[in-house]
Amino acid sequence: MHTSKHWLGAGLIALAGTAGAAAPSNEDLQKQIQALQQAVDALKQQLQAKTNEAAAAPAAVAAATDAEPVEVATKQDIDGIRADLENYKYDQQRNRDTKTALTKRALTLAGTVQVRASSQSQQTTSGTTATAEPRHTTFDVPSVLLNLSGSLFKDYSEGKNLDYKIGFSYAKNVNSGSVLATVAPNGSQLNLTDAYLVYSFFPTVAGLEEPKLTATFGQQQIPFGLEAQAAEELRPVINSAQFVNASGVGNRQIGLILRGDYDPYVDYGFNYRAPLIEYALGIVNGSSTNKLDDNGDQDYLARLAFTLPVDYNSWLRELKFGASYYKGTKNLVATPTIGAGAGTATLRATGKSDRYGVDIYYNHDPIGFTYEQVEGRDDLLINTTQAATTRKGREVSSRGQTFTGFYTWGQQWVKSYKGQAKYDDWWPTSYQAFVRWDKWDPNLDVGKDDTTIYTLGLNVFFAETTKLQVNLNQYHYGNPVLKTNNELLAQFQYGF
Amino acid sequence: MKKIAVLFASAIVAFSGLAGLAHAEDKPVEIRVAYSGAGTGGRPLSSGTIVATAHLRGLLEQEFKADGIKVKWSFFPGAGPATNEAFANKLVDFAYHGDLPLVVGRATGLKHKILLSLGRFGNTYFMVPSDSEAKTLADLKGKRIATFKGTAGQLTLNRVLEKYGFTEKDFKVISMDGDTAKAALATKDIDGYITTPFDLEARGIAKRLLEIKRDPKVTSVGTFWVSEEFEAKYPQIVQRVVTTLVKEAQWDSDEKNRDALFKLWGQAGSTPYSDYVKTWAGYTLKERNSPLLDDYYVASLKKAVDEAKRFRLTRSNVDINGWLEPKYLNQALKDLKLENYWQANDADGNVKK
């Protein structure tokens, strides 16, 4: 626009200049008109050029013509923001000092509680120290777990962290023979369950393709089979499979256990990781929780699992085969009825207490199944009532088998879906129906001593950490004297 | 007790039967749209594409309100791989995907039809911590570079590295989402990351190691697809979804809406408003928000397929024949009289003549 004004000015000056001079000739006037015409043409060309330029950069034009008026922050505005920021900082500090639980290191406090109602066809008095009339139904709080965990050293660059966990479990004083039950027959205890350190030898932040190796030192669950090493809150059935408690593989142990994997198959298109080989090796006391070793031998354990290396979208996804071995030593105690030491339990010898397990796991939403077989081999004294004998008899072989098949409606096990962004406390309500067959034979050489439990169940997941479980159990006993017992259990399991 | 057992079993069987009846109608009860990304702090919103804007402006909800069809959005902080997982479990009808997870999903058997192109071009910035002594990528050899593995960002990183003569093996490439990687730049736990630079520079925690301006060979194209099953069952619904999104693309391409668009997108927080203003400067909204499945889109997709295999990010081959379904887009352009609104690009990303 400035340039056009210059051209116009020049034209007018030229005209004014000629006006004061002698009367121009027609030729001069013609020239002046031509000059003016050229000036107008140039102005037109510039205007056209500007228009083209604007069309080529619509953003600039839009900004110049349509943008909202520019608002500039004033000093008062900035002072206001500063004041808000200072108030916020004060608030944060004051709340941290007075209304926040502080810990020396980062801490995650978590818990799991079960509240249950049960009904059974055969009446019972078990589970109470009171003088009781046999019952068919009862309400119960069977389990309360409290866990504290965190990191003692956090390796931000590679993730070779040193972590810890401490866990406590509530237990009722129901055993009338125990001191606690005598002192507080309706009381309870808080028993230490987990107490360990765990260190990652390999980087854990590099990506899914990196192998894992950790060492866990302290009291912990042992890597045997599937159900025994699943945390309580993750087990699908209200009652554990019989072999978990009967064979002892569900007992926590104190010791050192290495856990790792090798050659993980990674499908980054789905964030899916399936280690080809998972392994575990350990050495433990073998005397269960909160006890020193009760003999001169350590127990050893090993586990190896193989997962099919297939893409997430394959129907063979999460098909895993595992084998577990636990080499244990047990104390063989006899209470002789005759001779010296009669009536006193005395250690006579130590013997083996080994466990062998195989398992298959398949979980391809919406269907899945697990199968486990555990076999125990235990030495026994030939006759515990003999005087001072240390002779071992034929070993006792026990066997437990469990098959669980399940079908799911809902997105409980679709990691991405339940992890989707949400404003509110949303969770994908899911339903899981399952059937279980669970058999335990405590001595393969003795007939009619086995117990088989059939379970039909439904789990309803209606909040992130809460589920309603309904199980219908039917107990069949090899011993014909024992009557088949039907049991209906309903419980809420919630976590925090 | 036997009666209870029979009753209990019957209830489970009946329940399973009811679950299977959910879609036995002429029109869907709901339209499930997945978005490969989410707002900062796990908020269900996102930015940077016409689908994100359609969500923020509620266009699809308006379109289907009269039919009583609910539009159900899922925003995945786990990005493209999470969308694949959800789709593999039959939880998605439509989705926005970056190129790498789209290709990997297809390679492993996911069945979808490509409907629209979502976003193209732009600058690429490689950021390092503010006190980094690196002058070139070569100075970062053996050091930690972050990318969100399995997402389009990983393929972009590989293209940038290849452009300068490197591969992932020359560095320690670790996986982090965008927010984590930005925080890691601040704490110097990583040595490099590709992201928009301006908010990081304003806070003084990172600086540009290199900037690649408008290189269509480096940047990727986004994709909007529909499941083959949904498309076969409800083609008229697919057409309405596409037409609605093309309308949205027109709004997003109008320079009058530039500021309003960036303000909407800035709500997600992952890319601040000011970064949109600066990183989109020098580009028209039309060229970046083009929904066309033109030569550039097809060439970019083929290139992504080749690169995913060459960079060993997928194991299987992908054939793109029959993958694109442009009829819905063409119909929408015709119905809305927008056939010539967007300029098609040739395979190199130039305006097609």
Side-chain angles (χ1 to χ4, degrees):
Chain A
M1 191 58 82
H2 277 296
T3 319
S4 59
K5 280 180 182 171
H6 292 159
W7 278 100
L8 193 59
L12 291 172
I13 289 167
L15 279 173
T18 54
S25 65
N26 284 344
E27 194 178 340
D28 288 340
L29 284 172
Q30 197 67 33
K31 283 181 183 174
Q32 286 169 10
I33 290 168
Q34 279 178 355
L36 282 171
Q37 187 65 47
Q38 283 173 353
V40 171
D41 288 346
L43 283 169
K44 279 183 179 173
Q45 282 174 13
Q46 285 175 24
L47 187 61
Q48 187 60 42
K50 287 280 180 193
T51 307
N52 292 342
E53 200 176 304
V61 173
T65 57
D66 297 324
E68 292 172 9
V70 175
E71 291 181 12
V72 179
T74 64
K75 184 174 181 300
Q76 284 81 357
D77 291 334
I78 294 169
D79 285 347
I81 291 170
R82 279 185 180 147
D84 282 348
L85 191 60
E86 288 305 317
N87 287 337
Y88 177 75
K89 283 158 65 180
Y90 169 82
D91 224 31
Q92 285 291 103
Q93 182 59 37
R94 176 52 62 98
N95 282 335
R96 184 176 183 277
D97 286 346
T98 61
K99 295 184 174 62
T100 310
L102 301 177
T103 59
K104 198 163 187 175
R105 293 289 306 175
L107 168 71
T108 300
L109 181 63
T112 304
V113 182
Q114 294 174 345
V115 289
R116 183 186 299 174
S118 62
S119 172
Q120 58 187 65
S121 59
Q122 301 296 323
Q123 60 185 13
T124 183
T125 58
S126 69
T128 175
T129 54
T131 303
E133 183 187 19
R135 64 172 192 274
H136 286 282
T137 61
T138 188
F139 296 105
D140 191 15
V141 181
S143 175
V144 177
L145 305 171
L146 192 62
N147 294 315
L148 298 83
S149 60
S151 193
L152 297 169
F153 170 73
K154 197 168 176 90
D155 178 5
Y156 282 92
S157 60
E158 293 194 282
K160 294 178 180 177
N161 299 333
L162 178 63
D163 297 328
Y164 73 92
K165 182 177 178 185
I166 301 172
F168 296 94
S169 172
Y170 134 95
K172 289 190 282 282
N173 295 337
V174 294
N175 183 351
S176 59
S178 75
V179 174
L180 280 166
T182 308
V183 175
N186 296 312
S188 64
Q189 311 161 48
L190 205 58
N191 293 324
L192 183 69
T193 52
D194 291 311
Y196 59 77
L197 297 165
V198 56
Y199 178 70
S200 296
F201 290 101
F202 294 160
T204 57
V205 296
L208 301 177
E209 66 274 24
E210 295 295 326
K212 291 179 179 174
L213 177 61
T214 62
T216 309
F217 181 65
Q219 184 164 295
Q220 58 196 290
Q221 287 181 309
I222 61 170
F224 192 100
L226 300 173
E227 187 159 334
Q229 57 176 327
E232 280 80 351
E233 65 271 22
L234 297 177
R235 293 177 184 169
V237 187
I238 290 177
N239 292 329
S240 298
Q242 296 175 82
F243 72 80
V244 171
N245 294 318
S247 71
V249 296
N251 293 338
R252 286 171 165 83
Q253 300 287 355
I254 306 174
L256 174 67
I257 300 175
L258 299 175
R259 294 174 175 85
D261 60 35
Y262 172 74
D263 195 17
Y265 183 89
V266 175
D267 184 354
Y268 267 116
F270 296 79
N271 255 332
Y272 173 64
R273 181 181 193 274
L276 184 70
I277 301 289
E278 288 171 272
Y279 59 87
L281 285 170
I283 177 171
V284 296
N285 280 344
S287 48
S288 190
T289 52
N290 306 319
K291 294 190 195 82
L292 301 177
D293 202 343
D294 57 5
N295 56 47
D297 297 312
Q298 303 295 328
D299 289 5
Y300 302 92
L301 58 91
R303 173 168 169 79
L304 202 62
F306 167 78
T307 305
L308 261 61
V310 296
D311 289 331
Y312 179 86
N313 205 26
S314 166
W315 68 275
L316 292 172
R317 176 184 86 216
E318 289 198 67
L319 178 57
K320 182 192 289 189
F321 303 89
S324 308
Y325 173 58
Y326 183 94
K327 180 167 180 50
T329 301
K330 67 189 289 188
N331 295 339
L332 302 177
V333 177
T335 308
T337 54
I338 54 174
T344 305
T346 310
L347 175 68
R348 300 296 179 189
T350 58
K352 73 174 177 186
S353 180
D354 299 344
R355 304 288 179 265
Y356 303 83
V358 291
D359 51 82
I360 305 173
Y361 173 87
Y362 179 66
N363 185 7
H364 189 118
D365 196 57
I367 61 165
F369 71 84
T370 59
Y371 171 76
E372 281 192 78
Q373 178 172 318
V374 174
E375 191 159 314
R377 292 176 195 166
D378 290 88
D379 281 334
L380 281 183
L381 292 176
I382 192 165
N383 187 339
T384 55
T385 60
Q386 292 292 317
T389 183
T390 58
R391 283 202 302 145
K392 294 173 195 168
R394 187 176 173 182
E395 71 178 24
V396 172
S397 294
S398 53
R399 182 180 293 160
Q401 294 182 78
T402 300
F403 172 86
T404 311
F406 41 87
Y407 188 90
T408 305
W409 304 269
Q411 299 81 40
Q412 175 77 19
W413 285 275
V414 184
K415 193 173 58 178
S416 61
Y417 201 81
K418 69 182 181 186
Q420 67 178 281
K422 286 287 174 184
Y423 281 126
D424 50 11
D425 190 7
W426 173 86
W427 194 253
T429 302
S430 304
Y431 306 86
Q432 181 189 53
F434 68 86
V435 291
R436 166 173 280 200
W437 169 77
D438 176 25
K439 183 174 183 179
W440 170 248
D441 188 339
N443 191 336
L444 296 178
D445 295 328
V446 176
K448 298 180 179 176
D449 63 343
D450 59 294
T451 303
T452 304
I453 305 173
Y454 298 94
T455 304
L456 183 64
L458 180 69
N459 293 318
V460 183
F461 301 83
F462 56 88
E464 182 174 359
T465 57
T466 309
K467 62 182 174 186
L468 169 65
Q469 298 176 279
V470 182
N471 285 190
L472 185 63
N473 299 317
Q474 190 167 69
Y475 294 76
H476 291 266
Y477 302 100
N479 185 348
V481 175
L482 298 172
K483 290 181 181 174
T484 297
N485 185 23
N486 294 313
E487 180 183 48
L488 181 63
L489 305 176
Q491 80 172 19
F492 285 100
Q493 179 178 285
Y494 62 93
F496 58 87
Chain B
M1 191 60 82
K2 275 186 182 172
K3 282 181 184 171
I4 293 175
V6 171
L7 206 63
F8 189 41
S10 304
I12 290 174
V13 171
F15 184 81
S16 64
L18 283 173
L21 292 175
H23 280 287
E25 293 182 17
D26 292 340
K27 63 181 182 181
V29 175
E30 60 187 13
I31 297 172
R32 301 167 302 173
V33 186
Y35 200 95
S36 303
T40 298
R43 288 171 300 146
L45 71 172
S46 201
S47 63
T49 70
I50 60 169
V51 177
T53 325
H55 168 256
L56 290 162
R57 298 176 67 220
L59 251 65
L60 287 172
E61 286 80 354
Q62 287 169 29
E63 171 66 24
F64 293 103
K65 189 177 179 183
D67 304 274
I69 300 173
K70 192 179 170 191
V71 180
K72 191 174 175 184
W73 293 85
S74 293
F75 290 88
F76 293 123
T83 299
N84 276 339
E85 187 193 5
F87 183 48
N89 287 284
K90 302 186 185 306
L91 298 168
V92 176
D93 300 319
F94 295 88
Y96 155 66
H97 242 153
D99 55 4
L100 180 60
L102 177 77
V103 168
V104 175
R106 177 80 171 179
T108 55
L110 296 185
K111 305 284 186 196
H112 33 46
K113 293 277 189 185
I114 292 172
L115 300 171
L116 297 170
S117 169
L118 291 189
R120 55 182 64 182
F121 307 143
N123 301 347
T124 307
Y125 307 89
F126 194 102
M127 305 299 292
V128 294
S130 52
D131 62 350
S132 172
E133 293 178 359
K135 303 291 180 204
T136 66
L137 267 181
D139 298 331
L140 293 180
K141 277 185 83 172
K143 296 196 171 175
R144 289 161 302 183
I145 295 177
T147 189
F148 198 166
K149 289 188 178 180
T151 70
Q154 188 178 13
L155 207 47
T156 301
L157 172 66
N158 275 270
R159 291 187 192 117
V160 170
L161 297 182
E162 189 175 55
K163 184 181 174 85
Y164 293 94
F166 301 104
T167 70
E168 276 196 22
K169 287 181 180 172
D170 294 313
F171 308 88
K172 285 182 190 166
V173 178
I174 61 178
S175 189
M176 286 182 179
D177 64 42
D179 291 336
T180 309
K182 283 184 176 181
L185 275 175
T187 55
K188 303 174 186 27
D189 288 313
I190 57 172
D191 300 294
Y193 179 60
I194 292 177
T195 187
T196 57
F198 302 103
D199 70 318
L200 296 172
E201 289 174 340
R203 287 151 59 200
I205 59 176
K207 62 183 180 185
R208 269 171 259 196
L209 180 71
L210 58 92
E211 177 177 346
I212 303 170
K213 287 186 176 168
R214 195 188 178 100
D215 186 345
K217 301 288 184 193
V218 169
T219 52
S220 60
V221 288
T223 296
F224 185 71
W225 53 254
V226 62
S227 76
E228 282 189 5
E229 189 182 346
F230 191 95
E231 197 251 344
K233 208 169 174 183
Y234 306 113
Q236 74 285 4
I237 299 291
V238 176
Q239 184 61 64
R240 288 171 65 188
V241 168
V242 170
T243 303
T244 304
L245 289 179
V246 171
K247 274 186 211 164
E248 181 62 70
Q250 185 188 13
W251 190 89
D252 287 34
S253 299
D254 189 339
E255 292 296 341
K256 281 191 299 190
N257 302 323
R258 178 174 279 252
D259 197 56
L261 178 67
F262 293 163
K263 278 180 180 164
L264 276 173
W265 285 355
Q267 289 177 24
S270 43
T271 303
Y273 163 79
S274 57
D275 275 25
Y276 275 118
V277 171
K278 289 176 180 169
T279 55
W280 283 55
Y283 295 94
T284 63
L285 295 179
K286 249 186 196 177
E287 64 180 326
R288 293 202 62 180
N289 286 328
S290 167
L292 301 184
L293 299 172
D294 53 10
D295 291 350
Y296 176 65
Y297 177 84
V298 175
S300 296
L301 187 61
K302 281 182 180 168
K303 187 162 69 75
V305 168
D306 294 341
E307 289 168 336
K309 194 80 193 295
R310 185 154 47 87
F311 298 141
R312 304 172 75 85
L313 301 174
T314 181
R315 298 172 180 87
S316 310
N317 293 314
V318 171
D319 181 5
I320 75 162
N321 285 329
W323 195 6
L324 278 70
E325 183 46 274
K327 70 179 181 188
Y328 300 103
L329 171 63
N330 294 337
Q331 188 63 46
L333 293 172
K334 192 177 169 188
D335 292 347
L336 299 171
K337 298 185 174 25
L338 295 173
E339 288 104 322
N340 300 312
Y341 185 77
W342 290 279
Q343 289 180 308
N345 295 116
D346 65 18
D348 294 324
N350 301 313
V351 174
K352 197 172 177 182
K353 291 172 182 168

